[in-house]
Amino acid sequence: MRIHFGVDYYPEHWPRERWETDAKLMKEMGVQVVRMAEFSWFKMEPSEGEFHFEWLEDAVALLDSYGIKSVLGTPTAAPPAWIIEKNPEILPIDMQGRRRHFGGRHHDCQSNPAYRAHIKRFVTAMTKRFANNPGVIGWQIDNELGNSHWDLCMCDSCKQRYQEWLENKYKKIETLNDAWGTAFWSQGFNSFAQIGTPLITAVGENPSAMLDWRTFCSDLIVDFAKWQADIIRENCPNHFITHNYMCFDEKVNYYDLGELLDFVSNDIYPAGNWQQQPHQPCHMMAASHDVIRGYKKKPFWMMEQQANTAGWGTMGHALDPGQMAAWAMQSVAHGADAVVFFRWRTCAMGTEQYWHGILGHSGIPGRVYQEAQKLIKTFEPYMEEFQGSMPKPEVAIVHSFRQAYALQIQPNHPDLWYVGQLHKYYKGFYDQKIPVDFVQGMDDLSQYKLVVAPLQYIMTPELEQHYIDYVENGGHLVLTMRTGVKDDNNLCMTDRCLPGRLGDICGIEIPEYDCLFCKECSALYGSKDYPIEKWADIITLKGATALAEYGSSFYKGMPAVTENTYGKGKVWYVGTEPTEDFMTDLAEYFVKNSDVESLGSAPEGVEIMTRENASQKWIFVINMTNENKVYSLNDSYKMLEGEREGDLKPYEVHLFVKKKYGR
Ligand code: GLA
Ligand code: ZN
């Protein structure tokens, strides 16, 4: 059974007479799988205990008769009105203490016991019904967990759960008082019962409390997903379970969530009116795929790959001819084993009437359909072989939800964006056609020649030791501004100068720093003077050498970037956020001095990526632009797809392979 290309399908939006036409057109396009039902609770249970799965069974059977398998979604991101009528307390409460009401989606409190009971009843019935259905292969839990839940939920049920979570973590209220530094502003508590959810205050918030709250919210979402995963596993032991992630979205710790899943899926919409630009820069799309691969260290599915113009009330651009296919192959190049396009047909009703699908409103196959058909025809034959293969990067970038949370709570500089800094470093390697893994700090780093750990703001003795060991044993480590500032409770560390014990491997101390808010500053590196952003660590050398120095302010001439040899390895410390040109040059230096190899060379907009298994290594060269481009590869491979090696037409994809011998 080959399952590599598919569409998100909503048969309940269309008259039944149309379904067969859809199935036929899908088959002709090359569709092998659909995802269905993740928003159709009312249609499946119009009143309590009255189940209507027949329509979905019919759709599954019809599709199956055309050789198309189904992934079913549990529809718990949109509880129907009768549930809300019966248990209005399910409606979530925002930070202002207001209820969010029925009429959109995600109007649910994820701790609410009444809601959990509704879910248990429904998901049990649905999974039992489809457990042995030959057309069904797997499940998606809910939809984009964390989406729309940013300032939710502050209700009494969540408050009680939060108090329990805190009590379990701290045991004694005195311990919590110390960990949260409640001596400040008279915030001490006598008991856990006094602690509320973070409703809007008169002014200010406690950063330690907020870090616990963010972590609690993530744990709650994971627990909410587990509530469903347990039911699915029990009733459908032969089906897979996945969930559609949102790239770098931070509401739920995707590493934790991934533990419940067989594999991770992702949703990506590079172009839409909300982007404020024609589309997201390609390196950001690439980084999204890489972090998705990193959440479970394995290949993934694209559960929603943008097919066409996106928007709700207003719209983004139409995609250029070839653009959608190039984006889909970018997903594959970074580790997608299946690509499911959102959506099959543009919807005629509801909020998403302008979020376009493979087919337009008319349902008549057009340019986008033909493009998808061509893409599948060309690349489907290889997909089975790609399955399970991974890139083997020599470079890793450390990614952490905890750092993201702490830096959202206190960004230090108003424009500091944790993931944004990761993207900047990523681009430095992406442009050099060097594959990158995203890893967690405590992962085994020994397989990487170069590890970049930006903004290690929260530091623990274990993580410090882990980095020290990595370098001692020959690793090359890049650390940046705001490292070692906070302990794990989000309290400032006071025992040493910044960057704490890591100062020993960096060979520096940072007695002072300067936030570059409304202030321009530069750094001199080589013979150039580069603008820098956001921050300037004022560094004293304690054995390191200066690689770049500040070009202005009272610390002009003092080190901005340093290099230190420690054990068998090397540490670079970047005391600022470099702007693009500076980052390019620094990344080149890091790569050269870590012996990291590039896949080839090509101008911006041309992506070179690789996947490999024990016997073969593939190279994907993708023109992400609407212009002709050239490239060259650093090794010789056999060309499998493409017209002329080295020359790319707009959005063209070239595929190469190399067999590995001697194994
Ligand atoms: C998300 C959701 C889909 C749909 C699309 C388009 O990614 O998962 O249900 O809403 O966005 O808005
Ligand atoms: Zn709640």
Side-chain angles (χ1 to χ4, degrees):
M1 190 169 60
R2 300 173 71 103
I3 305 287
H4 303 298
F5 286 100
V7 291
D8 297 301
Y9 186 39
Y10 301 89
E12 71 275 24
H13 296 170
W14 302 99
R16 207 173 261 240
E17 308 78 69
R18 169 73 192 193
W19 293 3
E20 181 124 28
T21 310
D22 283 336
K24 203 161 156 282
L25 286 172
M26 284 183 200
K27 188 184 162 80
E28 282 164 16
M29 184 177 114
V31 167
Q32 298 156 326
V33 65
V34 296
R35 180 200 60 183
M36 296 195 288
E38 82 282 7
F39 285 107
S40 41
W41 196 333
F42 183 65
K43 191 88 187 159
M44 294 187 275
E45 195 189 14
S47 67
E48 186 158 348
E50 183 197 338
F51 296 110
H52 286 290
F53 295 116
E54 321 79 52
W55 66 272
L56 186 57
E57 281 172 333
D58 289 352
V60 167
L62 175 69
L63 291 158
D64 199 25
S65 74
Y66 281 83
I68 299 166
K69 297 293 172 192
S70 296
V71 176
L72 301 181
T74 61
T76 49
W82 64 260
I83 289 188
I84 302 303
E85 181 186 38
K86 184 166 184 211
N87 299 101
E89 70 277 18
I90 287 171
L91 292 172
I93 295 205
D94 70 14
M95 286 187 99
Q96 315 238 5
R98 302 172 304 196
R99 276 221 189 270
R100 295 287 178 85
H101 296 275
F102 184 83
R105 61 176 173 181
H106 301 290
H107 45 273
D108 59 328
C109 161
Q110 290 169 335
S111 76
N112 186 286
Y115 192 40
R116 294 282 181 110
H118 285 295
I119 290 176
K120 184 153 203 164
R121 180 194 62 254
F122 180 81
V123 175
T124 303
M126 188 180 182
T127 48
K128 284 199 164 147
R129 186 73 170 245
F130 288 96
N132 298 312
N133 188 311
V136 175
I137 55 171
W139 296 84
Q140 172 188 298
I141 294 174
D142 200 277
N143 190 76
E144 294 188 340
L145 287 162
N147 189 348
S148 327
H149 266 257
W150 281 100
D151 60 346
L152 308 175
C153 167
M154 308 294 148
C155 78
D156 285 344
S157 161
C158 289
K159 179 162 120 183
Q160 197 194 325
R161 283 291 283 251
Y162 185 40
Q163 289 170 351
E164 286 162 13
W165 186 93
L166 290 170
E167 191 157 4
N168 184 43
K169 175 170 177 183
Y170 294 108
K171 312 288 187 267
K172 296 212 299 257
I173 196 68
E174 297 75 23
T175 316
L176 175 139
N177 280 326
D178 287 345
W180 284 13
T182 56
F184 186 78
W185 282 357
S186 193
Q187 287 175 353
F189 297 103
N190 312 92
S191 72
F192 289 97
Q194 287 172 350
I195 303 174
T197 50
L199 287 159
I200 189 170
T201 62
V203 67
E205 59 192 21
N206 180 322
S208 300
M210 289 309 292
L211 183 59
D212 268 340
W213 171 253
R214 293 293 308 266
T215 311
F216 161 76
C217 287
S218 173
D219 286 358
L220 177 62
I221 294 174
V222 174
D223 180 78
F224 180 81
K226 186 171 185 301
W227 183 256
Q228 304 194 26
D230 288 348
I231 303 170
I232 303 171
R233 293 248 181 256
E234 191 183 326
N235 295 330
C236 304
N238 301 323
H239 291 164
F240 64 72
I241 303 180
T242 187
H243 177 69
N244 54 338
Y245 285 28
M246 298 175 281
C247 306
F248 279 97
D249 193 82
E250 289 134 346
K251 182 74 189 187
V252 47
N253 183 318
Y254 281 149
Y255 298 99
D256 294 348
L257 184 60
E259 287 174 23
L260 301 176
L261 310 174
D262 292 296
F263 59 86
V264 160
S265 296
N266 195 32
D267 296 351
I268 200 164
Y269 294 100
N273 55 315
W274 67 92
Q275 296 278 2
Q276 311 281 341
Q277 54 190 336
H279 65 80
Q280 208 184 29
C282 301
H283 71 90
M284 287 180 136
M285 295 158 60
S288 287
H289 299 311
D290 288 340
V291 83
I292 287 288
R293 192 184 64 246
Y295 291 135
K296 242 182 125 61
K297 296 193 190 312
K298 65 192 267 198
F300 53 91
W301 276 33
M302 294 305 300
M303 199 56 101
E304 296 181 19
Q305 174 87 42
Q306 181 169 356
N308 203 337
T309 302
W312 279 6
T314 62
M315 286 169 258
H317 296 288
L319 308 189
D320 288 347
Q323 197 165 23
M324 173 266 265
W327 289 351
M329 287 313 293
Q330 185 192 36
S331 304
V332 172
H334 287 263
D337 277 349
V339 177
V340 179
F341 289 101
F342 188 90
R343 51 181 55 222
W344 169 240
R345 179 171 174 184
T346 315
C347 191
M349 58 184 91
T351 310
E352 297 188 352
Q353 288 162 333
Y354 299 130
W355 206 288
H356 292 69
I358 296 277
L359 302 183
H361 287 123
S362 74
I364 301 168
R367 174 175 73 87
V368 178
Y369 177 89
Q370 273 130 31
E371 253 179 48
Q373 189 174 44
K374 184 173 159 221
L375 162 83
I376 298 173
K377 191 161 188 283
T378 311
F379 289 103
E380 201 284 332
Y382 305 104
M383 293 292 285
E384 196 74 10
E385 284 186 76
F386 297 156
Q387 184 137 330
S389 65
M390 295 273 280
K392 286 213 171 72
E394 296 178 319
V395 179
I397 296 180
V398 174
H399 170 247
S400 152
F401 283 90
R402 205 162 172 76
Q403 306 291 7
Y405 294 161
L407 288 163
Q408 276 169 353
I409 294 163
Q410 291 172 295
N412 289 245
H413 179 289
D415 301 329
L416 181 71
W417 174 35
Y418 169 73
V419 173
Q421 190 170 111
L422 303 196
H423 280 310
K424 281 193 170 185
Y425 279 91
Y426 182 90
K427 185 172 190 299
F429 303 108
Y430 179 83
D431 287 348
Q432 293 181 71
K433 321 302 173 194
I434 291 168
V436 169
D437 269 345
F438 284 97
V439 298
Q440 300 190 82
M442 288 305 291
D443 283 349
D444 176 13
L445 304 174
S446 62
Q447 60 185 299
Y448 299 104
K449 288 185 178 167
L450 175 61
V451 172
V452 183
L455 293 164
Q456 297 297 289
Y457 183 62
I458 296 218
M459 191 45 65
T460 61
E462 297 75 35
L463 188 56
E464 252 167 8
Q465 191 57 49
H466 193 58
Y467 288 145
I468 292 169
D469 293 345
Y470 170 68
V471 178
E472 195 146 40
N473 293 317
H476 297 78
L477 179 66
V478 177
L479 293 170
T480 82
M481 57 184 264
R482 304 315 277 147
T483 286
V485 177
K486 298 274 196 136
D487 70 12
D488 205 35
N489 294 320
N490 211 6
L491 298 173
C492 286
M493 291 206 265
T494 53
D495 51 333
R496 285 179 64 148
C497 225
L498 291 178
R501 199 150 69 95
L502 292 171
D504 297 346
I505 58 170
C506 296
I508 59 166
E509 265 184 9
I510 304 165
E512 278 193 89
Y513 42 74
D514 190 12
C515 177
L516 301 179
F517 177 57
C518 293
K519 177 170 177 177
E520 285 180 10
C521 195
S522 70
L524 299 163
Y525 172 64
S527 54
K528 283 198 242 167
D529 194 9
Y530 301 82
I532 53 170
E533 281 185 348
K534 296 182 189 127
W535 200 261
D537 275 329
I538 303 170
I539 300 172
T540 308
L541 298 177
K542 298 274 172 188
T545 53
L547 210 60
E549 57 191 47
Y550 293 110
S552 52
S553 194
F554 66 89
Y555 38 88
K556 183 174 176 182
M558 293 182 75
V561 180
T562 61
E563 171 173 304
N564 192 46
T565 303
Y566 183 90
K568 294 187 206 139
K570 231 177 206 132
V571 183
W572 292 290
Y573 186 89
V574 184
T576 182
E577 190 170 293
T579 47
E580 195 171 325
D581 289 349
F582 190 18
M583 187 63 87
T584 304
D585 292 349
L586 277 180
E588 265 173 30
Y589 180 84
F590 298 149
V591 161
K592 204 170 95 212
N593 287 280
S594 315
D595 256 341
V596 168
E597 283 179 30
S598 139
L599 295 169
S601 55
E604 196 161 335
V606 175
E607 165 149 344
I608 309 184
M609 191 53 194
T610 178
R611 290 177 74 163
E612 60 186 282
N613 59 26
S615 58
Q616 304 185 76
K617 175 173 180 173
W618 292 273
I619 298 283
F620 302 78
V621 186
I622 307 174
N623 186 354
M624 304 288 280
T625 77
N626 58 6
E627 294 158 8
N628 292 324
K629 297 277 178 192
V630 294
Y631 68 91
S632 66
L633 297 177
N634 285 349
D635 203 346
S636 53
Y637 301 88
K638 178 174 166 240
M639 193 174 195
L640 296 173
E641 288 299 330
E643 252 171 56
R644 256 213 355 232
E645 180 167 350
D647 286 311
L648 291 160
K649 291 195 243 161
Y651 300 111
E652 199 184 344
V653 180
H654 288 184
L655 176 66
F656 297 86
V657 75
K658 185 184 205 138
K659 306 261 182 231
K660 298 177 172 173
Y661 297 107
R663 278 168 196 267

